[in-house]
Amino acid sequence: MLLSDAMEDEEKWLAEGIAGIQHNAFYMHRALDANNLREALKYSAQLLSELRTSRLSPHKYYELYMRAFDELRKLEMFFKEEERHGCSVMDLYELVQHAGNILPRLYLLCTVGSVYIKSKEAPAKDVLKDLVEMCRAVQHPIRGLFLRSYLAQISRDKLPDIGSDYEGDGDTVMDAVEFVLQNFSEMNKLWVRMELQCLYYIHFGDPELRPSFGLSGLQGPARVRDKMEKERNELRDLVGKNLHVLSQIEGIDLDLYKETVLPRVLEQVVNCKDELAQYYLMDCLIQVFPDEYHLQTLETLLGACPQLQPTVDIKTVLSQLMERLSSYAASSPEVLPEFLQVEAFAKLSNAIGKVIETQGDMPIVGSITLYVSLLTFTLRVHPDRLDYVDQVLGLCVKKLANKPKLEDSRATKQVVALLSAPLEKYSDIVTSLTLSNYPRVMDHLDNGTNKIMAMVIIQSIMMNHAYVSSADKVEVLFELIKGLIKDLEGDSDDEFDEEDFNEEQNSVSRVIHVLYNDDPEEMLKIICTVRKHIMAGGPRRLPFTIPPLVFSALKLIRRLQNQDGDAAGEDNPATPRKIFQLLNQMIKCSSLGLEGWAETIEALSYVPSPELALRLYLQCAEAANDCDLEPVAYEFFTQAFVLYEEEIADSKAQVTAIHLIIGTLQRTNVFGVENRDTLTHKATGYSAKLLKKPDQCRAVYACSHLFWVDDQDGIKDGERVLLCLKRALRIANAAQQMASVARGSSGPVTLFVEILNKYLYYFEKGNPQITSAAIQGLIELIKTEMQSDTVTPDQTSDAFFACTLRYIQFQKQKGGAMGEKFDTIKV
Amino acid sequence: MASRRRMLLKVIILGDSGVGKTSLMNQYVNRKFSNQYKATIGADFLTKEVQFEDRLFTLQIWDTAGQERFQSLGVAFYRGADCCVLVHDVNVMKSFDSLNNWREEFLIQASPADPENFPFVVLGNKVDVDGGNSRVVSEKKAKAWCASKGNIPYFETSAKEGLNVEAAFECIARNALKNEPEEEIYLPDTIDVANARQQKSSGCEC
Ligand SMILES: Nc1nc2c(ncn2[C@@H]2O[C@H](COP(=O)(O)OP(=O)(O)OP(=O)(O)O)[C@@H](O)[C@H]2O)c(=O)[nH]1
Ligand SMILES: [Mg+2]
């Protein structure tokens, strides 16, 4: 209620003010057209009286001011003409001093003053000095600030700058600087004084001191203060603009800036002891003056920071400074030596340390934000100086030392930003891994953030397709991502999220694939390092982490195998020794590595992933076979069987497993008779013990391939093949009978047709135990079965059988040896 | 009567920080350029006398702060503008994307009588940078936008090399001149109001 009333009142007052200006402007224009100087002055003074109001907030006052400002431009033009008309500008300067009130008088004086300087009838510096002194008469903050900003604006292009029209005759840049600096400090004082006046108003209720807009006496001190703060904030650019004017003075070279301008501005800033002013003016100073000046005066500029009020937000100021300097460094490589020459990094780092020290109660997030800025600066300006980067991280570690883990989420965010910056900069992760303080910073993160950071690291590796290529680096990397690798102290199960967990572990397994070195010895070390870390991961993680590591090891083994082959083809005398060495290594790696692996995979069998473990055993067995390592391969098969016996209970899983075992065993040629017999015996035994007859049948006829390997020197034991097939037939028969007992009808003939196909296969391959008579017999058997009433007709098996017969027909007609062989079979 | 007003043409330069507003104004008014970046604070103007068909005009060119935090007092100075110059850096897409905002903000705040026909001029600055290789806003794209906003004249400029600056400002001045000024018609009701109002003012002598 009160506020909206107040705002309405303010609108009304503004409207009144505008009306007053328009009214007087009308008469002023008439006077100007009539060339009536006195009338023009009278009405312009009346018009300017509207600016004497105390009722408007800075925003509204500015509107009123702009109206008056525009009118004054017309008057100024008239003054210029007037000069041509005969009345000297010096006379004018005298004349306007008779205007009634101080404020209108001073506006007019400034207006004439600008014409006066332009006319060059008086030295610019004298007029400026006169004006800047006279403006002291207005001590009301808002009125005074606007008046002085008017002075700053109209004198802006009339300063005795080098190369300007107003230089010379003893007028120097120094005079311009003095003038602007004086106006600046007067304005700053007015601005700072608002704060004091506000306090007076609160305590003594003097309406002249009232912060401008619509306050009724009913409002409490806190409200009054808030408003005053808001108003002061609106007014800040009027003060700051002086610094802009200064920066535009060309004559201010580095020396003048260093010797005079900067110290004087800083003196004003430091001494005013006002939080708002100090923060804002430091910001302005940094923004309006060029970067090379800052670089060359870093010490002075930074030296002021600890002298500011403890409440000033120095970290933002410094961040902005560093931001500017880093853009400057990025703008051209030629400026980099400047940074080195002035030791910018050391100075900034020092200053930050001092600020953090003096502002004892700066929250931790503040300090870390400062380090982030410093790090950003370092990465942009000195990307080659990893020691600097590490130093900044070290500062952060120091700050965090002896403190419990970070809980403030904003501070945590900053730490993540700090740690992410080097990853973004150096696309090669390895660079970041050399930063000794990196893991130490990570240690201060809470577990959740630690994991997030670990994911950021992994993503950065994946995104940059970077390889981590030494065991040492891998060690560092796994130390960094340990939050994903094992349970950390304080990890609680309540927060367990399966989806997140899976994603994390998948990331870890992806990263294992990019740990790579061409040198087998180093690669082996890498693998051992990874193994050491992931073994601590516990049952939930192993199913994710073990497979990639096993495959990484197998890849290494295959690599050694191939190298061996290649090198052997060369006649280079140096090579045999090399090969020998490599072989030696290979054997060491395979035996040590693989045997070690058995143990590793064993860990998997404790977790509910026996099927996964079985597959890995078989992969290893195959690799061992390729390396000609019989005992190793045997060991793996044994492990696989143990798993099969003890852990794989589901019947479907058993079927899959037994076929995998048979397939692998079939490809294995490293075994001597004894080992081989043991293993094939087991395989056939388990096959015949599967739960369902059809599964038994299929597994058993698959086992026949264990005795007939279609290689040049593969095993070819026709008898045992036949034994398997006969056994399969018996099982198929039994299955048929069981089906008739159970359902009154036997199953389809599919199993028989499948077995027939196996017969045909071995028949063609020349297994002497498989005769055309046996095949004939089987065909007849199937035909009879199909015709029996009890059989359920089945299209698929009928078609299968028809195809098989067509195939026999086709072979018969082929002629030649094959045709002859098939000749005796009748279909 | 209107003549005095017409001799002054008010131009406002708007655009993101760093696009070169101050540099363009300095190049045009003082024929100077500096590589150094010095942020503008608040609003600042320079004047320049221009001559058209043997009439002399004063161009009042307002340069503004592109950084929002240096525009604390608001934009009362937009009032009475005769032309608005929108500047972007052809090497920075964001500065071009901002033009729409600058234009709309200007129309809202300055509230010209005929916003449809208020004269704007668009400048694509810094065409010199890196021999044009780092350019991201094409001439075609800029022109298409200008066309969509009622055929705003478009210039490609370099404040650094003075390229097209003179031509652009001549166009700006001519467009400003074409803009019908909205002289608020003011008719005083009684002569005495002013004097009566004088007494109302608050007690202070300044
Ligand atoms: N190469 C090149 N640089 C330019 C050009 N115009 C301006 N610059 C540079 O760009 C930077 C910014 O220029 P300013 O004129 O200060 O930019 P501004 O738009 O006034 O910026 P604010 O005051 O922050 O709004 C300075 O370093 C200039 O030297 C140009 O045409 N070419
Ligand atoms: Mg600027």
Side-chain angles (χ1 to χ4, degrees), chain A residues 411-431:
Chain A
T412 314
K413 237 187 214 147
Q414 287 301 318
V415 177
V416 171
L418 188 80
L419 292 171
S420 304
L423 298 179
E424 276 157 32
K425 177 73 196 183
Y426 306 112
S427 53
D428 177 9
I429 177 75
V430 173
T431 311

mmCIF file of all heavy atoms in Angstrom, chain A residues 411-431:
data_model
loop_
_atom_site.group_PDB
_atom_site.id
_atom_site.type_symbol
_atom_site.label_atom_id
_atom_site.label_comp_id
_atom_site.label_asym_id
_atom_site.label_seq_id
_atom_site.Cartn_x
_atom_site.Cartn_y
_atom_site.Cartn_z
ATOM 1 N N ALA A 411 30.683 -24.894 -2.524
ATOM 2 C CA ALA A 411 32.132 -25.068 -2.485
ATOM 3 C C ALA A 411 32.518 -26.318 -3.271
ATOM 4 O O ALA A 411 33.489 -26.322 -4.034
ATOM 5 C CB ALA A 411 32.600 -25.191 -1.040
ATOM 6 N N THR A 412 31.723 -27.364 -3.115
ATOM 7 C CA THR A 412 31.994 -28.602 -3.834
ATOM 8 C C THR A 412 31.971 -28.349 -5.334
ATOM 9 O O THR A 412 32.817 -28.819 -6.085
ATOM 10 C CB THR A 412 30.927 -29.647 -3.488
ATOM 11 O OG1 THR A 412 30.746 -29.633 -2.090
ATOM 12 C CG2 THR A 412 31.347 -31.005 -3.928
ATOM 13 N N LYS A 413 30.974 -27.588 -5.751
ATOM 14 C CA LYS A 413 30.864 -27.266 -7.178
ATOM 15 C C LYS A 413 32.126 -26.579 -7.677
ATOM 16 O O LYS A 413 32.608 -26.855 -8.770
ATOM 17 C CB LYS A 413 29.670 -26.335 -7.383
ATOM 18 C CG LYS A 413 28.671 -26.904 -8.372
ATOM 19 C CD LYS A 413 27.604 -25.887 -8.675
ATOM 20 C CE LYS A 413 26.306 -26.613 -8.908
ATOM 21 N NZ LYS A 413 25.153 -25.882 -8.468
ATOM 22 N N GLN A 414 32.630 -25.683 -6.854
ATOM 23 C CA GLN A 414 33.843 -24.969 -7.244
ATOM 24 C C GLN A 414 35.029 -25.930 -7.334
ATOM 25 O O GLN A 414 35.871 -25.794 -8.217
ATOM 26 C CB GLN A 414 34.148 -23.844 -6.257
ATOM 27 C CG GLN A 414 33.213 -22.648 -6.372
ATOM 28 C CD GLN A 414 33.237 -22.031 -7.753
ATOM 29 O OE1 GLN A 414 34.292 -21.873 -8.364
ATOM 30 N NE2 GLN A 414 32.065 -21.707 -8.279
ATOM 31 N N VAL A 415 35.094 -26.874 -6.411
ATOM 32 C CA VAL A 415 36.202 -27.830 -6.469
ATOM 33 C C VAL A 415 36.095 -28.661 -7.748
ATOM 34 O O VAL A 415 37.094 -28.905 -8.426
ATOM 35 C CB VAL A 415 36.219 -28.755 -5.226
ATOM 36 C CG1 VAL A 415 37.343 -29.772 -5.350
ATOM 37 C CG2 VAL A 415 36.410 -27.936 -3.968
ATOM 38 N N VAL A 416 34.885 -29.047 -8.079
ATOM 39 C CA VAL A 416 34.707 -29.802 -9.325
ATOM 40 C C VAL A 416 35.154 -28.944 -10.514
ATOM 41 O O VAL A 416 35.839 -29.419 -11.416
ATOM 42 C CB VAL A 416 33.236 -30.257 -9.490
ATOM 43 C CG1 VAL A 416 33.012 -30.831 -10.878
ATOM 44 C CG2 VAL A 416 32.891 -31.290 -8.440
ATOM 45 N N ALA A 417 34.796 -27.665 -10.485
ATOM 46 C CA ALA A 417 35.231 -26.767 -11.560
ATOM 47 C C ALA A 417 36.752 -26.704 -11.604
ATOM 48 O O ALA A 417 37.372 -26.739 -12.674
ATOM 49 C CB ALA A 417 34.656 -25.366 -11.349
ATOM 50 N N LEU A 418 37.341 -26.638 -10.425
ATOM 51 C CA LEU A 418 38.798 -26.553 -10.326
ATOM 52 C C LEU A 418 39.446 -27.790 -10.942
ATOM 53 O O LEU A 418 40.412 -27.711 -11.688
ATOM 54 C CB LEU A 418 39.185 -26.441 -8.845
ATOM 55 C CG LEU A 418 40.642 -26.158 -8.532
ATOM 56 C CD1 LEU A 418 40.933 -24.678 -8.712
ATOM 57 C CD2 LEU A 418 40.983 -26.572 -7.111
ATOM 58 N N LEU A 419 38.883 -28.950 -10.636
ATOM 59 C CA LEU A 419 39.467 -30.193 -11.119
ATOM 60 C C LEU A 419 39.146 -30.457 -12.589
ATOM 61 O O LEU A 419 39.886 -31.142 -13.280
ATOM 62 C CB LEU A 419 38.979 -31.365 -10.255
ATOM 63 C CG LEU A 419 39.503 -31.362 -8.814
ATOM 64 C CD1 LEU A 419 38.807 -32.424 -7.989
ATOM 65 C CD2 LEU A 419 41.006 -31.573 -8.783
ATOM 66 N N SER A 420 38.046 -29.903 -13.031
ATOM 67 C CA SER A 420 37.675 -30.143 -14.434
ATOM 68 C C SER A 420 38.487 -29.278 -15.387
ATOM 69 O O SER A 420 38.713 -29.660 -16.534
ATOM 70 C CB SER A 420 36.191 -29.853 -14.640
ATOM 71 O OG SER A 420 35.415 -30.617 -13.766
ATOM 72 N N ALA A 421 38.900 -28.119 -14.908
ATOM 73 C CA ALA A 421 39.604 -27.186 -15.807
ATOM 74 C C ALA A 421 40.830 -27.796 -16.481
ATOM 75 O O ALA A 421 40.969 -27.693 -17.700
ATOM 76 C CB ALA A 421 39.960 -25.906 -15.049
ATOM 77 N N PRO A 422 41.713 -28.465 -15.737
ATOM 78 C CA PRO A 422 42.872 -29.052 -16.436
ATOM 79 C C PRO A 422 42.466 -30.139 -17.430
ATOM 80 O O PRO A 422 43.087 -30.281 -18.476
ATOM 81 C CB PRO A 422 43.711 -29.670 -15.302
ATOM 82 C CG PRO A 422 43.208 -29.080 -14.053
ATOM 83 C CD PRO A 422 41.787 -28.671 -14.289
ATOM 84 N N LEU A 423 41.406 -30.878 -17.111
ATOM 85 C CA LEU A 423 40.968 -31.938 -18.022
ATOM 86 C C LEU A 423 40.510 -31.335 -19.339
ATOM 87 O O LEU A 423 40.743 -31.884 -20.411
ATOM 88 C CB LEU A 423 39.815 -32.734 -17.406
ATOM 89 C CG LEU A 423 40.118 -33.484 -16.112
ATOM 90 C CD1 LEU A 423 38.858 -34.189 -15.621
ATOM 91 C CD2 LEU A 423 41.218 -34.504 -16.329
ATOM 92 N N GLU A 424 39.813 -30.179 -19.223
ATOM 93 C CA GLU A 424 39.335 -29.546 -20.449
ATOM 94 C C GLU A 424 40.488 -28.993 -21.253
ATOM 95 O O GLU A 424 40.507 -29.037 -22.466
ATOM 96 C CB GLU A 424 38.369 -28.410 -20.092
ATOM 97 C CG GLU A 424 36.966 -28.922 -19.872
ATOM 98 C CD GLU A 424 36.155 -27.970 -19.009
ATOM 99 O OE1 GLU A 424 36.394 -26.747 -19.085
ATOM 100 O OE2 GLU A 424 35.310 -28.468 -18.236
ATOM 101 N N LYS A 425 41.453 -28.445 -20.529
ATOM 102 C CA LYS A 425 42.565 -27.791 -21.218
ATOM 103 C C LYS A 425 43.464 -28.817 -21.898
ATOM 104 O O LYS A 425 43.808 -28.692 -23.056
ATOM 105 C CB LYS A 425 43.368 -26.973 -20.208
ATOM 106 C CG LYS A 425 44.578 -26.303 -20.781
ATOM 107 C CD LYS A 425 44.168 -25.142 -21.650
ATOM 108 C CE LYS A 425 45.305 -24.710 -22.543
ATOM 109 N NZ LYS A 425 44.935 -23.539 -23.336
ATOM 110 N N TYR A 426 43.862 -29.816 -21.122
ATOM 111 C CA TYR A 426 44.774 -30.807 -21.675
ATOM 112 C C TYR A 426 43.971 -32.013 -22.112
ATOM 113 O O TYR A 426 43.607 -32.849 -21.291
ATOM 114 C CB TYR A 426 45.810 -31.226 -20.629
ATOM 115 C CG TYR A 426 46.545 -30.063 -20.040
ATOM 116 C CD1 TYR A 426 46.367 -29.709 -18.715
ATOM 117 C CD2 TYR A 426 47.412 -29.306 -20.818
ATOM 118 C CE1 TYR A 426 47.045 -28.630 -18.164
ATOM 119 C CE2 TYR A 426 48.091 -28.223 -20.277
ATOM 120 C CZ TYR A 426 47.898 -27.898 -18.949
ATOM 121 O OH TYR A 426 48.561 -26.833 -18.424
ATOM 122 N N SER A 427 43.732 -32.093 -23.392
ATOM 123 C CA SER A 427 42.876 -33.181 -23.845
ATOM 124 C C SER A 427 43.565 -34.518 -23.569
ATOM 125 O O SER A 427 42.938 -35.543 -23.466
ATOM 126 C CB SER A 427 42.572 -33.025 -25.320
ATOM 127 O OG SER A 427 43.770 -32.878 -26.030
ATOM 128 N N ASP A 428 44.858 -34.465 -23.418
ATOM 129 C CA ASP A 428 45.586 -35.676 -23.074
ATOM 130 C C ASP A 428 45.547 -35.846 -21.558
ATOM 131 O O ASP A 428 46.201 -35.121 -20.826
ATOM 132 C CB ASP A 428 47.038 -35.528 -23.554
ATOM 133 C CG ASP A 428 47.859 -36.733 -23.166
ATOM 134 O OD1 ASP A 428 47.270 -37.722 -22.697
ATOM 135 O OD2 ASP A 428 49.079 -36.674 -23.337
ATOM 136 N N ILE A 429 44.777 -36.811 -21.118
ATOM 137 C CA ILE A 429 44.542 -37.006 -19.687
ATOM 138 C C ILE A 429 45.842 -37.171 -18.925
ATOM 139 O O ILE A 429 45.986 -36.770 -17.774
ATOM 140 C CB ILE A 429 43.640 -38.253 -19.460
ATOM 141 C CG1 ILE A 429 43.423 -38.532 -17.965
ATOM 142 C CG2 ILE A 429 44.235 -39.490 -20.078
ATOM 143 C CD1 ILE A 429 42.478 -37.613 -17.320
ATOM 144 N N VAL A 430 46.807 -37.726 -19.618
ATOM 145 C CA VAL A 430 48.066 -38.042 -18.963
ATOM 146 C C VAL A 430 48.691 -36.797 -18.340
ATOM 147 O O VAL A 430 49.292 -36.839 -17.271
ATOM 148 C CB VAL A 430 49.022 -38.683 -19.991
ATOM 149 C CG1 VAL A 430 50.387 -38.859 -19.404
ATOM 150 C CG2 VAL A 430 48.440 -40.008 -20.440
ATOM 151 N N THR A 431 48.493 -35.661 -19.020
ATOM 152 C CA THR A 431 49.046 -34.422 -18.489
ATOM 153 C C THR A 431 48.486 -34.152 -17.104
ATOM 154 O O THR A 431 49.214 -33.822 -16.176
ATOM 155 C CB THR A 431 48.701 -33.263 -19.427
ATOM 156 O OG1 THR A 431 49.028 -33.666 -20.742
ATOM 157 C CG2 THR A 431 49.473 -32.028 -19.074
#
